[in-house]
Amino acid sequence: MKKDIHPAYHRCKVTCVSCGATFETGSTEKEIKVDTCSNCHPYYTGKQRYVQADGRVDRFNRKYGLNNEKK
């Protein structure tokens, strides 16, 4: 490896913005902020979380007073 051409590699702190969980890893950055982590991601937790609260179909159903239940 050539000397003085690679960035410094050190321990960094990763912080989840959604749930506030933190952990350490190695990176060239000093601090990393992520939107979701394995503690709050629906794939790992098995719990669905709705990020988009107001969709087009929901607005249409509310506007015309339609029931969302299927029979």
Side-chain angles (χ1 to χ4, degrees):
M1 250 177 17
K2 292 184 180 180
K3 294 183 185 231
D4 300 328
I5 64 167
H6 299 285
Y9 186 79
H10 44 77
R11 303 289 290 169
C12 84
K13 180 179 175 185
V14 179
T15 306
C16 178
V17 177
S18 298
C19 69
T22 61
F23 59 91
E24 286 190 0
T25 188
S27 176
T28 58
E29 299 287 326
K30 298 213 183 253
E31 185 177 358
I32 300 173
K33 293 187 180 187
V34 295
D35 187 39
T36 56
C37 65
S38 61
N39 291 337
C40 61
H41 194 280
Y43 180 79
Y44 297 109
T45 61
K47 297 178 184 175
Q48 182 65 24
R49 185 180 73 168
Y50 294 103
V51 176
Q52 184 180 6
D54 197 24
R56 296 181 110 186
V57 174
D58 294 331
R59 283 187 300 194
F60 178 84
N61 289 339
R62 273 197 315 264
K63 182 177 179 179
Y64 294 105
L66 300 175
N67 194 358
N68 290 337
E69 295 179 16
K70 292 184 177 181
K71 292 183 180 184

